Amino acid sequence: MGLNGPVAFTPSQQPASPSLEAITYQHIQETATKRISTLDYLRKAHEGRVYWFNTLLFNKPDLQRMPSFEPRKLARRATNYLLLGLSIPAVLDLNGMNPTEFLRTLNALLAEFEAFQQIHAPDGSSISRGGFPRMFKRSTNTGSKGRRASSVADIGLPMGSDHPDANGSMSAGATGSTTSFPTPENDLLPGEEYSFLLTPSLPFDPDFYETFATLCDVLIDCYTKLLTLISSPRDCNPAVAEMFTKADGRVRKIIVQGVVKEFEDNSRSGVKGEVAGVAKVVLGGLL
């Protein structure tokens, strides 16, 4: 009751619901920031600078004892990571004016990289010469400027595959002790051509640890550039949201998921070994 009579209360206004653009913007910002942190963490884990989720510290000798870090497989992974790391800066430089074009080109590059690995399957079998993945761009034009058709023997194989040369023996990268060199252009698979994936001939296998760290840096730059391009909700629309989801999903599939699984499996077995060792010491003192 007020001095001049009863006080009239008006119902408070409900806060306005966020727009679809605002929700999309927040999702992209949060996901990109999380991915940057994840890539930085994976890089530090490979460099032996952090304990994997506060459990074990993996130094280089520890990593080399992992089954997936067998030298032959590691050389192939390094070559593939190098190709992707070389190709992404061109996407940043040439298609970094707006988020739509940037994401469209990045998706095309990642799709080509996936297709390259699918054509020559990790289990050692290759897709038949007429059986290219649907995402792969078939082209009969072998004279496109700035690109050339690429032989898998020129650039190394996906991890876990064995590719015989023309004489039926294993290619140099498969032995782990010799070097892969370019093969003649007539060894190319018919129609195997890439528009965005750079495939230079490498005279030697790159170092995996340096290559992985550099690829993480390149992908961090990629996400940072995207955050710059998408600076407000007005830059977001359903097409941008869809392309971002696809691109981020491919980055998780190509880099994050496999590496995280490797560390999880080995940290789990490592912790079991540490606990068994502690138990042995404790019980040994009691018995």
Side-chain angles (χ1 to χ4, degrees), residues 57-89:
L57 182 67
F58 290 92
N59 53 31
K60 193 171 182 179
D62 295 327
L63 294 175
Q64 291 174 340
R65 286 192 291 269
M66 292 185 182
S68 57
F69 275 57
E70 189 269 328
R72 177 173 56 88
K73 297 179 181 180
L74 209 60
R76 294 165 185 168
R77 289 177 64 183
T79 299
N80 288 336
Y81 286 167
L82 178 63
L83 296 181
L84 184 59
L86 288 174
S87 304
I88 290 178

PDB file of all heavy atoms in Angstrom, residues 57-89:
ATOM      1  N   LEU A  57      52.634 -38.902 -18.924  1.00  0.00           N
ATOM      2  CA  LEU A  57      53.371 -38.037 -19.836  1.00  0.00           C
ATOM      3  C   LEU A  57      53.989 -38.905 -20.919  1.00  0.00           C
ATOM      4  O   LEU A  57      54.787 -39.800 -20.633  1.00  0.00           O
ATOM      5  CB  LEU A  57      54.474 -37.278 -19.087  1.00  0.00           C
ATOM      6  CG  LEU A  57      55.296 -36.304 -19.927  1.00  0.00           C
ATOM      7  CD1 LEU A  57      54.440 -35.137 -20.394  1.00  0.00           C
ATOM      8  CD2 LEU A  57      56.501 -35.800 -19.132  1.00  0.00           C
ATOM      9  N   PHE A  58      53.612 -38.657 -22.168  1.00  0.00           N
ATOM     10  CA  PHE A  58      54.130 -39.438 -23.290  1.00  0.00           C
ATOM     11  C   PHE A  58      55.273 -38.659 -23.937  1.00  0.00           C
ATOM     12  O   PHE A  58      55.060 -37.607 -24.545  1.00  0.00           O
ATOM     13  CB  PHE A  58      53.035 -39.686 -24.326  1.00  0.00           C
ATOM     14  CG  PHE A  58      51.961 -40.632 -23.872  1.00  0.00           C
ATOM     15  CD1 PHE A  58      50.818 -40.154 -23.258  1.00  0.00           C
ATOM     16  CD2 PHE A  58      52.094 -41.998 -24.045  1.00  0.00           C
ATOM     17  CE1 PHE A  58      49.825 -41.012 -22.829  1.00  0.00           C
ATOM     18  CE2 PHE A  58      51.109 -42.872 -23.624  1.00  0.00           C
ATOM     19  CZ  PHE A  58      49.972 -42.383 -23.020  1.00  0.00           C
ATOM     20  N   ASN A  59      56.481 -39.195 -23.799  1.00  0.00           N
ATOM     21  CA  ASN A  59      57.596 -38.610 -24.525  1.00  0.00           C
ATOM     22  C   ASN A  59      57.771 -39.356 -25.848  1.00  0.00           C
ATOM     23  O   ASN A  59      57.030 -40.288 -26.157  1.00  0.00           O
ATOM     24  CB  ASN A  59      58.879 -38.637 -23.692  1.00  0.00           C
ATOM     25  CG  ASN A  59      59.193 -40.033 -23.177  1.00  0.00           C
ATOM     26  OD1 ASN A  59      58.875 -41.033 -23.823  1.00  0.00           O
ATOM     27  ND2 ASN A  59      59.826 -40.112 -22.017  1.00  0.00           N
ATOM     28  N   LYS A  60      58.735 -38.964 -26.624  1.00  0.00           N
ATOM     29  CA  LYS A  60      58.898 -39.551 -27.952  1.00  0.00           C
ATOM     30  C   LYS A  60      59.133 -41.056 -27.901  1.00  0.00           C
ATOM     31  O   LYS A  60      58.522 -41.802 -28.679  1.00  0.00           O
ATOM     32  CB  LYS A  60      60.036 -38.853 -28.703  1.00  0.00           C
ATOM     33  CG  LYS A  60      60.087 -39.175 -30.185  1.00  0.00           C
ATOM     34  CD  LYS A  60      61.081 -38.282 -30.908  1.00  0.00           C
ATOM     35  CE  LYS A  60      61.100 -38.574 -32.399  1.00  0.00           C
ATOM     36  NZ  LYS A  60      62.053 -37.692 -33.122  1.00  0.00           N
ATOM     37  N   PRO A  61      60.011 -41.586 -27.029  1.00  0.00           N
ATOM     38  CA  PRO A  61      60.155 -43.055 -26.955  1.00  0.00           C
ATOM     39  C   PRO A  61      58.848 -43.755 -26.595  1.00  0.00           C
ATOM     40  O   PRO A  61      58.578 -44.845 -27.099  1.00  0.00           O
ATOM     41  CB  PRO A  61      61.223 -43.241 -25.871  1.00  0.00           C
ATOM     42  CG  PRO A  61      62.011 -41.977 -25.893  1.00  0.00           C
ATOM     43  CD  PRO A  61      61.017 -40.899 -26.190  1.00  0.00           C
ATOM     44  N   ASP A  62      58.034 -43.136 -25.731  1.00  0.00           N
ATOM     45  CA  ASP A  62      56.744 -43.741 -25.389  1.00  0.00           C
ATOM     46  C   ASP A  62      55.837 -43.805 -26.611  1.00  0.00           C
ATOM     47  O   ASP A  62      55.156 -44.811 -26.851  1.00  0.00           O
ATOM     48  CB  ASP A  62      56.053 -42.941 -24.284  1.00  0.00           C
ATOM     49  CG  ASP A  62      56.812 -42.984 -22.971  1.00  0.00           C
ATOM     50  OD1 ASP A  62      57.435 -44.027 -22.702  1.00  0.00           O
ATOM     51  OD2 ASP A  62      56.792 -41.983 -22.235  1.00  0.00           O
ATOM     52  N   LEU A  63      55.811 -42.721 -27.378  1.00  0.00           N
ATOM     53  CA  LEU A  63      54.975 -42.693 -28.571  1.00  0.00           C
ATOM     54  C   LEU A  63      55.417 -43.739 -29.583  1.00  0.00           C
ATOM     55  O   LEU A  63      54.592 -44.388 -30.231  1.00  0.00           O
ATOM     56  CB  LEU A  63      55.011 -41.302 -29.216  1.00  0.00           C
ATOM     57  CG  LEU A  63      54.396 -40.158 -28.402  1.00  0.00           C
ATOM     58  CD1 LEU A  63      54.629 -38.834 -29.113  1.00  0.00           C
ATOM     59  CD2 LEU A  63      52.912 -40.391 -28.188  1.00  0.00           C
ATOM     60  N   GLN A  64      56.716 -43.918 -29.716  1.00  0.00           N
ATOM     61  CA  GLN A  64      57.227 -44.867 -30.701  1.00  0.00           C
ATOM     62  C   GLN A  64      56.897 -46.307 -30.347  1.00  0.00           C
ATOM     63  O   GLN A  64      56.969 -47.184 -31.212  1.00  0.00           O
ATOM     64  CB  GLN A  64      58.742 -44.682 -30.848  1.00  0.00           C
ATOM     65  CG  GLN A  64      59.124 -43.374 -31.519  1.00  0.00           C
ATOM     66  CD  GLN A  64      60.616 -43.126 -31.537  1.00  0.00           C
ATOM     67  OE1 GLN A  64      61.366 -43.715 -30.752  1.00  0.00           O
ATOM     68  NE2 GLN A  64      61.069 -42.272 -32.445  1.00  0.00           N
ATOM     69  N   ARG A  65      56.535 -46.561 -29.104  1.00  0.00           N
ATOM     70  CA  ARG A  65      56.134 -47.914 -28.708  1.00  0.00           C
ATOM     71  C   ARG A  65      54.659 -48.191 -28.971  1.00  0.00           C
ATOM     72  O   ARG A  65      54.209 -49.326 -28.829  1.00  0.00           O
ATOM     73  CB  ARG A  65      56.460 -48.138 -27.225  1.00  0.00           C
ATOM     74  CG  ARG A  65      57.953 -48.324 -26.932  1.00  0.00           C
ATOM     75  CD  ARG A  65      58.174 -48.831 -25.526  1.00  0.00           C
ATOM     76  NE  ARG A  65      57.844 -47.832 -24.523  1.00  0.00           N
ATOM     77  CZ  ARG A  65      58.735 -46.953 -24.036  1.00  0.00           C
ATOM     78  NH1 ARG A  65      59.997 -46.974 -24.460  1.00  0.00           N
ATOM     79  NH2 ARG A  65      58.368 -46.073 -23.124  1.00  0.00           N
ATOM     80  N   MET A  66      53.905 -47.165 -29.353  1.00  0.00           N
ATOM     81  CA  MET A  66      52.501 -47.384 -29.676  1.00  0.00           C
ATOM     82  C   MET A  66      52.384 -48.206 -30.954  1.00  0.00           C
ATOM     83  O   MET A  66      53.164 -48.001 -31.896  1.00  0.00           O
ATOM     84  CB  MET A  66      51.777 -46.050 -29.873  1.00  0.00           C
ATOM     85  CG  MET A  66      51.624 -45.206 -28.630  1.00  0.00           C
ATOM     86  SD  MET A  66      50.634 -43.725 -28.966  1.00  0.00           S
ATOM     87  CE  MET A  66      50.686 -42.918 -27.370  1.00  0.00           C
ATOM     88  N   PRO A  67      51.442 -49.146 -31.025  1.00  0.00           N
ATOM     89  CA  PRO A  67      51.296 -49.961 -32.243  1.00  0.00           C
ATOM     90  C   PRO A  67      51.058 -49.130 -33.496  1.00  0.00           C
ATOM     91  O   PRO A  67      51.575 -49.451 -34.569  1.00  0.00           O
ATOM     92  CB  PRO A  67      50.084 -50.851 -31.922  1.00  0.00           C
ATOM     93  CG  PRO A  67      50.037 -50.907 -30.439  1.00  0.00           C
ATOM     94  CD  PRO A  67      50.521 -49.579 -29.959  1.00  0.00           C
ATOM     95  N   SER A  68      50.305 -48.045 -33.382  1.00  0.00           N
ATOM     96  CA  SER A  68      50.007 -47.215 -34.550  1.00  0.00           C
ATOM     97  C   SER A  68      51.182 -46.343 -34.953  1.00  0.00           C
ATOM     98  O   SER A  68      51.145 -45.709 -36.009  1.00  0.00           O
ATOM     99  CB  SER A  68      48.796 -46.323 -34.267  1.00  0.00           C
ATOM    100  OG  SER A  68      49.016 -45.524 -33.118  1.00  0.00           O
ATOM    101  N   PHE A  69      52.251 -46.308 -34.132  1.00  0.00           N
ATOM    102  CA  PHE A  69      53.417 -45.499 -34.450  1.00  0.00           C
ATOM    103  C   PHE A  69      54.538 -46.349 -35.033  1.00  0.00           C
ATOM    104  O   PHE A  69      55.704 -45.985 -34.958  1.00  0.00           O
ATOM    105  CB  PHE A  69      53.904 -44.762 -33.194  1.00  0.00           C
ATOM    106  CG  PHE A  69      53.189 -43.465 -32.951  1.00  0.00           C
ATOM    107  CD1 PHE A  69      51.813 -43.427 -32.813  1.00  0.00           C
ATOM    108  CD2 PHE A  69      53.892 -42.273 -32.878  1.00  0.00           C
ATOM    109  CE1 PHE A  69      51.142 -42.248 -32.587  1.00  0.00           C
ATOM    110  CE2 PHE A  69      53.235 -41.074 -32.660  1.00  0.00           C
ATOM    111  CZ  PHE A  69      51.851 -41.063 -32.512  1.00  0.00           C
ATOM    112  N   GLU A  70      54.174 -47.481 -35.608  1.00  0.00           N
ATOM    113  CA  GLU A  70      55.148 -48.307 -36.327  1.00  0.00           C
ATOM    114  C   GLU A  70      55.731 -47.477 -37.469  1.00  0.00           C
ATOM    115  O   GLU A  70      55.007 -46.750 -38.145  1.00  0.00           O
ATOM    116  CB  GLU A  70      54.437 -49.559 -36.829  1.00  0.00           C
ATOM    117  CG  GLU A  70      55.365 -50.615 -37.400  1.00  0.00           C
ATOM    118  CD  GLU A  70      55.561 -50.437 -38.890  1.00  0.00           C
ATOM    119  OE1 GLU A  70      54.618 -49.981 -39.546  1.00  0.00           O
ATOM    120  OE2 GLU A  70      56.662 -50.747 -39.367  1.00  0.00           O
ATOM    121  N   PRO A  71      57.062 -47.506 -37.684  1.00  0.00           N
ATOM    122  CA  PRO A  71      57.698 -46.571 -38.623  1.00  0.00           C
ATOM    123  C   PRO A  71      57.070 -46.524 -40.007  1.00  0.00           C
ATOM    124  O   PRO A  71      56.920 -45.442 -40.587  1.00  0.00           O
ATOM    125  CB  PRO A  71      59.149 -47.081 -38.682  1.00  0.00           C
ATOM    126  CG  PRO A  71      59.368 -47.735 -37.367  1.00  0.00           C
ATOM    127  CD  PRO A  71      58.060 -48.356 -37.001  1.00  0.00           C
ATOM    128  N   ARG A  72      56.688 -47.668 -40.544  1.00  0.00           N
ATOM    129  CA  ARG A  72      56.115 -47.685 -41.898  1.00  0.00           C
ATOM    130  C   ARG A  72      54.796 -46.910 -41.946  1.00  0.00           C
ATOM    131  O   ARG A  72      54.574 -46.100 -42.835  1.00  0.00           O
ATOM    132  CB  ARG A  72      55.906 -49.134 -42.344  1.00  0.00           C
ATOM    133  CG  ARG A  72      55.251 -49.289 -43.704  1.00  0.00           C
ATOM    134  CD  ARG A  72      55.241 -50.762 -44.119  1.00  0.00           C
ATOM    135  NE  ARG A  72      54.586 -51.594 -43.122  1.00  0.00           N
ATOM    136  CZ  ARG A  72      53.270 -51.833 -43.097  1.00  0.00           C
ATOM    137  NH1 ARG A  72      52.482 -51.282 -43.999  1.00  0.00           N
ATOM    138  NH2 ARG A  72      52.746 -52.605 -42.163  1.00  0.00           N
ATOM    139  N   LYS A  73      53.936 -47.162 -40.963  1.00  0.00           N
ATOM    140  CA  LYS A  73      52.661 -46.459 -40.918  1.00  0.00           C
ATOM    141  C   LYS A  73      52.855 -44.972 -40.616  1.00  0.00           C
ATOM    142  O   LYS A  73      52.158 -44.113 -41.156  1.00  0.00           O
ATOM    143  CB  LYS A  73      51.758 -47.080 -39.856  1.00  0.00           C
ATOM    144  CG  LYS A  73      51.373 -48.520 -40.121  1.00  0.00           C
ATOM    145  CD  LYS A  73      50.500 -49.057 -39.000  1.00  0.00           C
ATOM    146  CE  LYS A  73      50.112 -50.509 -39.241  1.00  0.00           C
ATOM    147  NZ  LYS A  73      49.260 -51.049 -38.137  1.00  0.00           N
ATOM    148  N   LEU A  74      53.815 -44.689 -39.745  1.00  0.00           N
ATOM    149  CA  LEU A  74      54.044 -43.314 -39.344  1.00  0.00           C
ATOM    150  C   LEU A  74      54.503 -42.461 -40.522  1.00  0.00           C
ATOM    151  O   LEU A  74      54.114 -41.297 -40.662  1.00  0.00           O
ATOM    152  CB  LEU A  74      55.086 -43.264 -38.233  1.00  0.00           C
ATOM    153  CG  LEU A  74      54.972 -42.096 -37.247  1.00  0.00           C
ATOM    154  CD1 LEU A  74      53.632 -42.132 -36.546  1.00  0.00           C
ATOM    155  CD2 LEU A  74      56.105 -42.157 -36.244  1.00  0.00           C
ATOM    156  N   ALA A  75      55.346 -43.040 -41.395  1.00  0.00           N
ATOM    157  CA  ALA A  75      55.814 -42.308 -42.568  1.00  0.00           C
ATOM    158  C   ALA A  75      54.653 -41.957 -43.494  1.00  0.00           C
ATOM    159  O   ALA A  75      54.605 -40.865 -44.066  1.00  0.00           O
ATOM    160  CB  ALA A  75      56.858 -43.134 -43.314  1.00  0.00           C
ATOM    161  N   ARG A  76      53.699 -42.875 -43.642  1.00  0.00           N
ATOM    162  CA  ARG A  76      52.551 -42.608 -44.507  1.00  0.00           C
ATOM    163  C   ARG A  76      51.653 -41.541 -43.920  1.00  0.00           C
ATOM    164  O   ARG A  76      51.132 -40.679 -44.629  1.00  0.00           O
ATOM    165  CB  ARG A  76      51.784 -43.904 -44.733  1.00  0.00           C
ATOM    166  CG  ARG A  76      52.598 -44.920 -45.516  1.00  0.00           C
ATOM    167  CD  ARG A  76      51.985 -46.295 -45.406  1.00  0.00           C
ATOM    168  NE  ARG A  76      52.845 -47.273 -46.051  1.00  0.00           N
ATOM    169  CZ  ARG A  76      52.699 -48.576 -45.932  1.00  0.00           C
ATOM    170  NH1 ARG A  76      51.720 -49.052 -45.189  1.00  0.00           N
ATOM    171  NH2 ARG A  76      53.515 -49.403 -46.533  1.00  0.00           N
ATOM    172  N   ARG A  77      51.446 -41.600 -42.599  1.00  0.00           N
ATOM    173  CA  ARG A  77      50.636 -40.573 -41.951  1.00  0.00           C
ATOM    174  C   ARG A  77      51.291 -39.210 -42.091  1.00  0.00           C
ATOM    175  O   ARG A  77      50.615 -38.201 -42.342  1.00  0.00           O
ATOM    176  CB  ARG A  77      50.447 -40.904 -40.477  1.00  0.00           C
ATOM    177  CG  ARG A  77      49.543 -42.084 -40.219  1.00  0.00           C
ATOM    178  CD  ARG A  77      49.448 -42.393 -38.742  1.00  0.00           C
ATOM    179  NE  ARG A  77      48.823 -41.318 -37.981  1.00  0.00           N
ATOM    180  CZ  ARG A  77      48.694 -41.343 -36.658  1.00  0.00           C
ATOM    181  NH1 ARG A  77      49.169 -42.373 -35.955  1.00  0.00           N
ATOM    182  NH2 ARG A  77      48.108 -40.362 -36.031  1.00  0.00           N
ATOM    183  N   ALA A  78      52.609 -39.158 -41.914  1.00  0.00           N
ATOM    184  CA  ALA A  78      53.317 -37.887 -42.022  1.00  0.00           C
ATOM    185  C   ALA A  78      53.163 -37.294 -43.419  1.00  0.00           C
ATOM    186  O   ALA A  78      52.953 -36.088 -43.571  1.00  0.00           O
ATOM    187  CB  ALA A  78      54.797 -38.080 -41.687  1.00  0.00           C
ATOM    188  N   THR A  79      53.257 -38.138 -44.427  1.00  0.00           N
ATOM    189  CA  THR A  79      53.114 -37.657 -45.804  1.00  0.00           C
ATOM    190  C   THR A  79      51.715 -37.106 -46.034  1.00  0.00           C
ATOM    191  O   THR A  79      51.537 -36.034 -46.612  1.00  0.00           O
ATOM    192  CB  THR A  79      53.406 -38.790 -46.803  1.00  0.00           C
ATOM    193  OG1 THR A  79      54.754 -39.232 -46.622  1.00  0.00           O
ATOM    194  CG2 THR A  79      53.237 -38.313 -48.224  1.00  0.00           C
ATOM    195  N   ASN A  80      50.702 -37.824 -45.564  1.00  0.00           N
ATOM    196  CA  ASN A  80      49.334 -37.352 -45.746  1.00  0.00           C
ATOM    197  C   ASN A  80      49.088 -36.049 -44.995  1.00  0.00           C
ATOM    198  O   ASN A  80      48.455 -35.129 -45.524  1.00  0.00           O
ATOM    199  CB  ASN A  80      48.356 -38.428 -45.268  1.00  0.00           C
ATOM    200  CG  ASN A  80      48.314 -39.618 -46.204  1.00  0.00           C
ATOM    201  OD1 ASN A  80      48.635 -39.513 -47.379  1.00  0.00           O
ATOM    202  ND2 ASN A  80      47.947 -40.765 -45.674  1.00  0.00           N
ATOM    203  N   TYR A  81      49.563 -35.965 -43.762  1.00  0.00           N
ATOM    204  CA  TYR A  81      49.402 -34.735 -42.992  1.00  0.00           C
ATOM    205  C   TYR A  81      50.116 -33.572 -43.664  1.00  0.00           C
ATOM    206  O   TYR A  81      49.632 -32.431 -43.643  1.00  0.00           O
ATOM    207  CB  TYR A  81      49.948 -34.928 -41.576  1.00  0.00           C
ATOM    208  CG  TYR A  81      49.088 -35.771 -40.665  1.00  0.00           C
ATOM    209  CD1 TYR A  81      49.581 -36.241 -39.453  1.00  0.00           C
ATOM    210  CD2 TYR A  81      47.781 -36.117 -41.012  1.00  0.00           C
ATOM    211  CE1 TYR A  81      48.791 -37.007 -38.598  1.00  0.00           C
ATOM    212  CE2 TYR A  81      46.989 -36.883 -40.174  1.00  0.00           C
ATOM    213  CZ  TYR A  81      47.501 -37.332 -38.981  1.00  0.00           C
ATOM    214  OH  TYR A  81      46.717 -38.092 -38.137  1.00  0.00           O
ATOM    215  N   LEU A  82      51.275 -33.863 -44.264  1.00  0.00           N
ATOM    216  CA  LEU A  82      52.014 -32.807 -44.952  1.00  0.00           C
ATOM    217  C   LEU A  82      51.217 -32.268 -46.138  1.00  0.00           C
ATOM    218  O   LEU A  82      51.157 -31.059 -46.373  1.00  0.00           O
ATOM    219  CB  LEU A  82      53.372 -33.334 -45.411  1.00  0.00           C
ATOM    220  CG  LEU A  82      54.248 -32.337 -46.196  1.00  0.00           C
ATOM    221  CD1 LEU A  82      54.598 -31.144 -45.320  1.00  0.00           C
ATOM    222  CD2 LEU A  82      55.508 -33.008 -46.707  1.00  0.00           C
ATOM    223  N   LEU A  83      50.588 -33.162 -46.894  1.00  0.00           N
ATOM    224  CA  LEU A  83      49.788 -32.725 -48.045  1.00  0.00           C
ATOM    225  C   LEU A  83      48.656 -31.807 -47.608  1.00  0.00           C
ATOM    226  O   LEU A  83      48.405 -30.770 -48.223  1.00  0.00           O
ATOM    227  CB  LEU A  83      49.221 -33.944 -48.782  1.00  0.00           C
ATOM    228  CG  LEU A  83      50.220 -34.911 -49.427  1.00  0.00           C
ATOM    229  CD1 LEU A  83      49.482 -36.038 -50.116  1.00  0.00           C
ATOM    230  CD2 LEU A  83      51.122 -34.182 -50.395  1.00  0.00           C
ATOM    231  N   LEU A  84      47.970 -32.196 -46.548  1.00  0.00           N
ATOM    232  CA  LEU A  84      46.871 -31.375 -46.068  1.00  0.00           C
ATOM    233  C   LEU A  84      47.381 -30.043 -45.533  1.00  0.00           C
ATOM    234  O   LEU A  84      46.789 -28.989 -45.786  1.00  0.00           O
ATOM    235  CB  LEU A  84      46.112 -32.125 -44.973  1.00  0.00           C
ATOM    236  CG  LEU A  84      44.867 -31.431 -44.417  1.00  0.00           C
ATOM    237  CD1 LEU A  84      43.857 -31.164 -45.512  1.00  0.00           C
ATOM    238  CD2 LEU A  84      44.240 -32.277 -43.306  1.00  0.00           C
ATOM    239  N   GLY A  85      48.493 -30.089 -44.797  1.00  0.00           N
ATOM    240  CA  GLY A  85      49.063 -28.854 -44.263  1.00  0.00           C
ATOM    241  C   GLY A  85      49.544 -27.904 -45.336  1.00  0.00           C
ATOM    242  O   GLY A  85      49.479 -26.676 -45.163  1.00  0.00           O
ATOM    243  N   LEU A  86      50.004 -28.438 -46.464  1.00  0.00           N
ATOM    244  CA  LEU A  86      50.413 -27.579 -47.583  1.00  0.00           C
ATOM    245  C   LEU A  86      49.220 -26.962 -48.295  1.00  0.00           C
ATOM    246  O   LEU A  86      49.322 -25.869 -48.846  1.00  0.00           O
ATOM    247  CB  LEU A  86      51.228 -28.400 -48.588  1.00  0.00           C
ATOM    248  CG  LEU A  86      52.641 -28.812 -48.196  1.00  0.00           C
ATOM    249  CD1 LEU A  86      53.224 -29.745 -49.245  1.00  0.00           C
ATOM    250  CD2 LEU A  86      53.532 -27.586 -48.014  1.00  0.00           C
ATOM    251  N   SER A  87      48.105 -27.652 -48.292  1.00  0.00           N
ATOM    252  CA  SER A  87      46.949 -27.231 -49.086  1.00  0.00           C
ATOM    253  C   SER A  87      46.082 -26.199 -48.378  1.00  0.00           C
ATOM    254  O   SER A  87      45.467 -25.354 -49.032  1.00  0.00           O
ATOM    255  CB  SER A  87      46.095 -28.446 -49.451  1.00  0.00           C
ATOM    256  OG  SER A  87      46.853 -29.429 -50.132  1.00  0.00           O
ATOM    257  N   ILE A  88      46.010 -26.262 -47.052  1.00  0.00           N
ATOM    258  CA  ILE A  88      45.112 -25.368 -46.322  1.00  0.00           C
ATOM    259  C   ILE A  88      45.501 -23.897 -46.455  1.00  0.00           C
ATOM    260  O   ILE A  88      44.614 -23.038 -46.631  1.00  0.00           O
ATOM    261  CB  ILE A  88      45.031 -25.790 -44.847  1.00  0.00           C
ATOM    262  CG1 ILE A  88      44.266 -27.109 -44.731  1.00  0.00           C
ATOM    263  CG2 ILE A  88      44.345 -24.720 -44.003  1.00  0.00           C
ATOM    264  CD1 ILE A  88      44.169 -27.653 -43.321  1.00  0.00           C
ATOM    265  N   PRO A  89      46.789 -23.506 -46.384  1.00  0.00           N
ATOM    266  CA  PRO A  89      47.103 -22.081 -46.521  1.00  0.00           C
ATOM    267  C   PRO A  89      46.608 -21.462 -47.831  1.00  0.00           C
ATOM    268  O   PRO A  89      46.254 -20.279 -47.847  1.00  0.00           O
ATOM    269  CB  PRO A  89      48.646 -22.066 -46.446  1.00  0.00           C
ATOM    270  CG  PRO A  89      48.979 -23.253 -45.602  1.00  0.00           C
ATOM    271  CD  PRO A  89      47.991 -24.292 -46.009  1.00  0.00           C
TER     272      PRO A  89
END
